[in-house]
Amino acid sequence: FAAYSFVLARRQEYAADALAARIVGSATMGNALIRIAYQSARWHEGWSIIWKQAVERPDPPSSPYCLLGEVVSAEPDETASQVLARALARQRDLDDTHPSLSQRLAALDVVPELPPPFAEPAAALLLGSALTTIVGRLDAEWHNTADESWAEEFGCRQELLAERQALEDRAGAEGLDYEGQHRLAQLVEVIDGPQQGATAFATVLERF
């Protein structure tokens, strides 16, 4: 069923793109598809950056949607071209409900390049004074679901930091056996990253 219906879904996407192009023009429609590609990447990267802070600070940011809205509506930066290149290089697979970006742009006869910046974000024009209320509601809903997970992430990191500190203190005072040195290397990798972890595990190999 999926194999047949996904083919149908991709045909419908071409039809929808063509209809939109007849209404607003191929260039505008193509620009919209390109913006979706790199703005989606910005959006997901923004959330990743926010959640990485959970191990560093006990309190989550008060207005993540407001912050991400400003980032997404900003002009394309130097990474936008790289994001667009990756999106254009991606090929459609059997489990895709949409054609690839390059296929959709080709069907519209649009050259794949970064569009000009917005004169004004559409959200402010369409929503007016309601925009602030909507963003505030989204932030509140996020906190209702994320605060507990954030606290768990932060608490877990504090426990790991305390365990590492205890092992480092013991290493300085009396030295560590194999199990202790190996556990310390594991903690370094989790807390500081794979490069520092590799150095720590190299120390284990040298000693044992």
Side-chain angles (χ1 to χ4, degrees):
F1 175 79
Y4 181 84
S5 62
F6 282 13
V7 173
L8 208 57
R10 290 191 288 270
R11 289 178 182 171
Q12 290 171 339
E13 290 301 326
Y14 283 124
D17 289 351
L19 177 60
R22 287 203 300 272
I23 296 171
V24 300
S26 294
T28 300
M29 181 57 195
N31 285 343
L33 292 174
I34 292 170
R35 282 195 179 97
I36 288 172
Y38 73 77
Q39 296 291 44
S40 295
R42 272 181 167 181
W43 180 258
H44 291 299
E45 176 64 19
W47 277 117
S48 177
I49 291 172
I50 286 173
W51 274 103
K52 284 179 181 176
Q53 299 177 44
V55 298
E56 301 171 355
R57 49 181 287 183
D59 57 321
S62 59
S63 304
Y65 275 93
C66 181
L67 175 64
L68 289 174
E70 294 175 357
V71 170
V72 170
S73 61
E75 292 187 16
D77 56 18
E78 63 277 1
T79 64
S81 296
Q82 302 170 8
V83 173
L84 177 58
R86 289 195 296 269
L88 291 170
R90 184 182 181 276
Q91 299 300 310
R92 176 185 59 77
D93 204 349
L94 294 176
D95 59 353
D96 285 323
T97 57
H98 288 58
S100 68
L101 177 62
S102 58
Q103 288 174 321
R104 297 175 76 177
L105 293 176
L108 293 169
D109 197 23
V110 170
V111 177
E113 58 186 10
L114 288 174
F118 287 120
E120 186 174 358
L125 293 172
L126 295 172
L127 300 174
S129 60
L131 177 59
T132 302
T133 302
I134 292 170
V135 172
R137 185 178 299 173
L138 289 171
D139 282 332
E141 291 177 354
W142 180 79
H143 276 281
N144 287 337
T145 58
D147 282 356
E148 184 176 349
S149 297
W150 189 283
E152 290 177 359
E153 289 272 347
F154 181 76
C156 180
R157 178 52 62 95
Q158 296 308 300
E159 291 176 0
L160 294 177
L161 287 170
E163 184 183 2
R164 182 175 75 170
Q165 186 62 55
L167 286 171
E168 289 176 343
D169 292 344
R170 205 171 83 199
E174 60 189 58
L176 295 173
D177 58 10
Y178 170 77
E179 285 75 14
Q181 195 73 47
H182 188 272
R183 177 56 180 164
L184 179 58
Q186 288 179 319
L187 292 169
V188 169
E189 181 180 24
V190 170
I191 295 170
D192 297 330
Q195 186 171 352
Q196 292 85 342
T199 302
F201 278 111
T203 301
V204 178
L205 288 173
E206 288 177 10
R207 287 196 56 199
F208 305 96

